[in-house]
Every structure is written in C-alpha cells, then in structure tokens.
Amino acid sequence: MMRYAVTRMVLLLAGLLVASVLIFLTLRVLPGDVAAVIGGTTSSPEQVAAIREGLGLDRPLVVQYTDWIGGLLRGDLGTSLLTGAPVADELASKALVTVPLGVMSLLIALAFSVPLGVASALRRGRADGTALSVAAQSLAAVPVVWAGLMLVVVFAVWLGWLPAQGFPRNGWDDPAAAVRSLILPALTIGVVEGAMLMRFVRSATLQAIGQDYVRTAAAKGLTRTRALIRHGLPNVALSIITVLGLQIAGIVVGAVIIEQLFSLPGVGRMLVTDVGQRDLPKVQSELLALTGFVLVIGFVVDLVQRLIDPRQREAA
C-alpha cells in the first residue's frame, strides 16, 4: 500500500508540474496587458513599457516561470500586480466563502441522491421508480444558471425566505446571516450535481441487486431490500466514493459560475475578476491552487478505495 501511495504521489506532483506549465503558457497568449490596465487609458506607449519593465513582465518567459515555481516551492504564491497584496492571503479570505459553499453543496447532493437513487432502483419498473428516474434525468440536464435563477424566483422573490444575492459584510461574524446567504447557491449546485449522482447511484444499485450474493441472501429468506442493505450497499458505497472525486470537481467548476450569479465574494468570483484585469501572477496561482485541490481529492479518493476494498489490494 505504501508503495502504491508513493507512486500516486509522484503522479500527483507530475500532474501539478504539467498543469503549471499549461496554465503559465495559456495565460501568456491571452489578449490584454496588465501594464495598460495599470497605466489607464491616458498612458503613452512609453509609460506602458516602463510599467511592464517595473513589473518584470519584459523578462524572458523561462525566467518568469522559474521565479514563479521557485516562489511556490517556498510557499509564496506571489503578489497581485494591481493591489500588491499577497495572493495567499486573498485566497485564504475568499476560501472562507467558497469552501463552506462547496461543503454545503456536496452534503445537499448526497442527502437526496443516495436514498432516492437506491429507491429508484428498488422500485424499477413501477410508476414511482420511473418518475424518480425521469426527474433525475431532467434535473441533470438543467443548466446550473437557469436552476439558480428559478430558485431565486421561488425562494427569494415569491416567498421572501432567503436573500437573492450577496454575503454579509462582516462575514462569519454573523454565522446565521452567512449561512442564509449560502443556502440558495448551495442548493443550486447541490440539486444539479445530486441529480447526476442519483443516476449513478441507481445504476450501481441495480448492478448490486443482480449480484449472486444478493440473490443468494434473498433466496435464504431475506427480502430484496434487506439483502441489498446488508450485502449490496457496501459495494454501492465504493462506487459512490469513486464518482465523488468527479462530483467535487464539478462543484468547484459550478462555484465559479454560481459565485458570479449570487454575488458571493469567493475564489470563483475573484478568479473571473482577475482574469478580466490580466493580473497574471494572481490568476496563475489561483488556477494552480484549484487544479491542485482537484488532484488531491482524486488522490485521496483513490487511496480510500484501496484501503476499504480488499479486491483492489489483492489485484495490486
């Protein structure tokens, strides 16, 4: 197991290295110039060139890349070209919104997708089981922006239960207000991602029902539901753990859109703003941090599977 973990860690670091190169080069070919943004519309070409030289943007790309990577290895994510603030500090403050949003979204997705997915499989061929399956298919196809707008119309405009946009200025000093501001965004992501997960849970449950050990347990007197709960759900749980890595990546992507829609001061909204302002050192560190988060989640999910599934350990 240790050898496998070390191998996966090496692959994780290699993936981060490749991602850093791709992020760095991609940002350099985008149109726009942060020096022109800083100089304003009245600056002359000479003034813009002086700003670029002062920021070090006229140096060779290899030098800029090695400086960036060297800083990352020392734990320095760089500083914003526009504000001069450390990127790590801004990421940490924005994560106080994005991380709770992601956790709430994942809990909402799991809360309804797992029981409804299992119920849909057990009621296969019946009217209620078919209705659950059709509902999951329909919700999975709904664009996250449209889902968010519909939830705002219902719960913020019609019922007035929840705020439509924004986050408290004092942040988590008022936990109740902070949580209320995240409910609609989390519900938006959780419903869409949960519908996709529900389809997967249904498929995994149907596969488990067809296994010999479940049929044998049913033949010995257990009902199909009891046989599935006692013998099949552990395998369904393994399948859910497998797909959770992809779901978390989907939640990260969804957060970028939802934070814009609900005016939340999170990492996603900050990233969109920084891309528009061409704050390259900040954008590249933000993108690499998000990429690293997704890769680490995949690494952890892979290790957890190995730990709890004896078949994978025997195969290794």
Side-chain angles (χ1 to χ4, degrees), residues 132-307:
L132 287 174
S133 180
V134 171
Q137 295 275 6
S138 302
L139 284 175
V142 172
V144 68
V145 173
W146 188 86
L149 292 174
M150 293 300 100
L151 289 174
V152 166
V153 169
V154 174
F155 292 101
V157 178
W158 291 351
L159 300 176
W161 291 351
L162 297 167
Q165 284 187 326
F167 194 75
R169 290 186 177 182
N170 56 354
W172 289 97
D173 292 341
D174 186 355
V179 171
R180 288 184 75 249
S181 67
L182 293 179
I183 290 177
L184 278 182
L187 192 61
T188 301
I189 301 175
V191 166
V192 176
E193 293 294 329
M196 300 179 192
L197 184 59
M198 179 179 164
R199 295 169 56 196
F200 186 87
V201 172
R202 179 180 184 274
S203 177
T205 303
L206 288 174
Q207 186 176 5
I209 291 174
Q211 296 297 318
D212 292 339
Y213 54 82
V214 175
R215 290 200 297 265
T216 300
K220 290 182 177 181
L222 291 178
T223 64
R224 186 176 65 167
T225 302
R226 282 180 165 271
L228 174 65
I229 293 174
R230 183 173 298 181
H231 302 286
L233 284 187
N235 285 321
V236 175
L238 283 173
S239 300
I240 294 174
I241 291 173
T242 302
V243 79
L244 273 183
L246 297 175
Q247 292 295 118
I248 292 174
I251 288 173
V252 170
V253 174
V256 174
I257 302 172
I258 290 304
E259 287 177 1
Q260 287 290 109
L261 179 64
F262 288 92
S263 297
L264 295 176
V267 175
R269 190 179 182 192
M270 178 178 65
L271 176 60
V272 173
T273 301
D274 293 336
V275 169
Q277 295 177 337
R278 292 285 293 167
D279 196 345
L280 297 183
K282 194 175 176 185
V283 172
Q284 63 195 18
S285 294
E286 291 165 356
L287 288 175
L288 189 61
L290 292 174
T291 303
F293 174 77
V294 173
L295 290 177
V296 169
I297 291 297
F299 171 76
V300 172
V301 168
D302 202 6
L303 289 186
V304 169
Q305 281 185 301
R306 292 273 173 166
L307 286 173

Side-chain angles (χ1 to χ4, degrees), residues 10-70:
V10 171
L11 291 175
L12 170 64
L13 295 176
L16 281 175
L17 179 62
V18 173
S20 69
V21 174
L22 292 176
I23 290 170
F24 182 86
L25 294 178
T26 301
L27 291 177
R28 265 60 188 181
V29 301
L30 292 178
D33 187 356
V34 68
V37 174
I38 296 174
T41 56
T42 60
S43 59
S44 64
E46 291 76 15
Q47 291 173 322
V48 172
I51 294 174
R52 287 180 56 82
E53 182 179 357
L55 297 175
L57 299 177
D58 60 336
R59 296 175 300 163
L61 293 181
V62 174
V63 176
Q64 294 185 48
Y65 176 78
T66 53
D67 285 349
W68 176 47
I69 294 299

Side-chain angles (χ1 to χ4, degrees), residues 72-86:
L72 292 177
L73 294 177
R74 297 190 302 270
D76 181 11
L77 298 182
T79 57
S80 170
L81 294 180
L82 296 175
T83 65

